[in-house]
Amino acid sequence: MRRTRTAVGAASAAAVVLGLAACSGGARADDATLVVTDTLSDTSAPIYQEVYDACAAEVGMQVQANHVAGSGLIATVLQQASSDTLPDVLMLDNPDVQQIASSGALSPLTDHGITGEGFPQGVVDAGTYDGDLYGVAPVVNTIGLFYDVDALAEAGIEPPTTWDELRAAAEALTTGDRYGIAFSAANTFEGTWQFLPYLWSNGADEDDLTSPEAVEALTFVEGLVADGFASSSVVNWSQNDVNDQFIAGNAAMMVNGPWNMPALEAAEGLDYAAVPLPVPQAGDTLQAPLGGEAFTVPRTQNPDKMAKAGEFVACVTRGEHQLAMATGRGAVPSDTEVAAEAAAANPVVATFVDTVQTARSRTALLGPDWPKAATQIYTAQQLALTGSEPPAAALERAAEN
């Protein structure tokens, strides 16, 4: 769940969205041009444009890319579907694939020869609705535990692997001007995303948020704040804010994703590393959420262009292009073999490659109903971490809504 699209200002993004209905509809573009709608930032767009150009040439087409803000994409897509102005290729955040597929706006990728073979099951699950594959993400991400190598060395602490070790490390690393750990518990889906590894790895599920396992997970996270090992401001921090706090030296560890690596590399004097998030007990399996944007082929009234769009998506998601996109964006190639190649080249990437293998699609259990559960989760976390309700009561109250 990458939320770093800051380069495109709100005004310009809105202008692009408003212009989509007029300029990006697959039925309205000329027959030699594939229209791609994605949610790329100004930083990532050039990386993908090289891939788009190569794949368009391969399938004998031109390509026109429209970059829109992710926050406004779903409403725009549903509007385009009703007016038959969908683009030829559509990038969707993977939790949104099922919602759009359920509307009938997408065509199954198997119609275009794309089966998901070679991809981790979580990637396939994230792009599947009602038994059909509708989206494939060429690169994915998840979250892990970044740490300041010098800070842990000075404290004589090894990177934690269990909740007890994480709590002890956070306590030992907390000083007068530094918290032991930083994370996002914001009242957005980012806050939910960061809590999911604690929830899932402890055996809880989003369809039963009042279970003892869910209460135990929230109690653990709440304790990090209540005992002063994490700032009470985590309830307001986005993941970008968390990264800023870590770079500034205000936290010795942080929960975050690989997309921060370019900024971390650029931080002067920072020696950092990353490990998988700790699990409740030694031997438990880490279950983290799977992030990443999937490419889909919308249904249009032009079957010839839909066929070309399918060829284009097959090309964009191919292994050689996955590596280029992952390296440029700070992500993990989706194909298992390509991911292993990336891991061999970078030990930080290797951490996330390992986690992705068991990462879980947020829509795997509840499908299109996931947003309601996600809202309940961040609401409960806000209630507990602000001290408004004890963890058990916070989960019960959130689950009622």
Side-chain angles (χ1 to χ4, degrees), residues 147-160 169 172-173 178 252-253 271-273:
Y147 63 92
D148 183 324
V149 173
D150 293 336
L152 266 69
E154 289 171 3
I157 296 172
E158 293 294 322
L173 291 165
R178 184 188 68 194
M253 302 182 290
D271 185 8
Y272 76 95

Side-chain angles (χ1 to χ4, degrees), residues 23 58 60 64 77 102 110 125 134 137 150 185 196 203-204 207 212 270 297 308 328 340 346 359:
C23 68
E58 183 174 304
Q64 172 191 332
V77 168
S102 68
T110 47
D125 289 345
Y134 287 94
D150 293 336
L196 287 175
D207 63 349
L270 175 62
V297 178
K308 287 294 185 181
N346 187 325

Side-chain angles (χ1 to χ4, degrees), residues 4 36 38 48 51 69 85 145 157 167 174 183 186 229-231 248 251 259 294 319 355 361 363 370 396:
T4 58
V36 179
D38 61 37
Y48 276 57
V51 176
T85 56
L145 184 71
I157 296 172
R167 179 181 168 81
T174 298
F183 53 88
F229 309 148
S231 170
W259 56 85
T355 303
S361 164
T363 53
W370 160 250
E396 288 183 5

Side-chain angles (χ1 to χ4, degrees), residues 285-320:
T285 298
L286 172 63
Q287 286 206 314
L290 183 74
E293 296 87 7
F295 282 90
T296 68
V297 178
R299 295 184 189 276
T300 68
Q301 298 302 313
N302 191 330
D304 291 338
K305 287 190 74 177
M306 285 180 62
K308 287 294 185 181
E311 294 177 28
F312 180 85
V313 170
C315 177
V316 167
T317 56
R318 212 160 57 206
E320 66 197 78

Side-chain angles (χ1 to χ4, degrees), residues 315-331:
C315 177
V316 167
T317 56
R318 212 160 57 206
E320 66 197 78
H321 297 312
Q322 290 181 21
L323 195 56
M325 290 185 281
T327 302
R329 295 186 69 188

Side-chain angles (χ1 to χ4, degrees), residues 365-381:
L365 182 61
L366 297 179
D369 293 332
W370 160 250
K372 180 180 179 181
T375 301
Q376 293 171 333
I377 290 170
Y378 73 64
T379 299
Q381 193 171 211

